[in-house]
Amino acid sequence: METWTHKQWKQALEELPEAVYYLYTPMCGTCAVASKMLDVIAAMKPDLHMGKADLNYVQEVAVEYEIESVPCLLIQKEGKIQHKIYAFHSVPYLLEKLS
């Protein structure tokens, strides 16, 4: 999963039929677990466009999407946010949300 800027996320919203944006902070233990889950998702769904960002560096995203905590996964389809996930639960749960 590559690191995206706010501008790259906006471009994904405009150009891609589906994409996810993973927001985290480096000192968050739960984020570390969520990152491992998303690595599994990336391996299972190689065609899914996935970006990530340290929320400390894309604070405008936190404001725009009213991010309440990390980890946070924004799932967009056709340019609209379909899900804003804070509790990642499990890989099967995330796969269900991405279907």
Side-chain angles (χ1 to χ4, degrees):
M1 185 173 4
E2 64 184 65
T3 301
W4 283 356
T5 63
H6 185 214
K7 183 178 178 180
Q8 287 170 303
W9 168 243
K10 288 295 195 184
Q11 186 175 2
L13 282 170
E14 292 174 10
E15 297 174 3
L16 300 172
E18 182 178 34
V20 298
Y21 198 28
Y22 170 56
L23 304 166
Y24 68 95
T25 58
M27 299 301 291
C28 166
T30 306
C31 296
V33 174
S35 292
K36 291 179 193 283
M37 288 182 184
L38 290 174
D39 288 341
V40 173
I41 299 284
M44 294 175 76
K45 296 180 77 76
D47 294 335
L48 179 62
H49 297 279
M50 299 175 72
K52 67 179 180 178
D54 179 340
L55 197 58
N56 293 313
Y57 296 106
V58 289
Q59 294 174 7
E60 61 276 12
V61 174
V63 172
E64 182 175 347
Y65 294 102
E66 299 176 357
I67 304 301
E68 298 170 20
S69 67
V70 290
C72 180
L73 187 66
L74 299 175
I75 300 173
Q76 75 88 9
K77 293 183 182 178
E78 303 300 333
K80 299 204 187 288
I81 300 297
Q82 299 295 313
H83 300 284
K84 185 168 31 170
I85 298 173
Y86 296 106
F88 283 44
H89 300 291
S90 66
V91 170
Y93 172 81
L94 294 174
L95 285 169
E96 179 183 320
K97 291 295 182 183
L98 289 165
S99 305

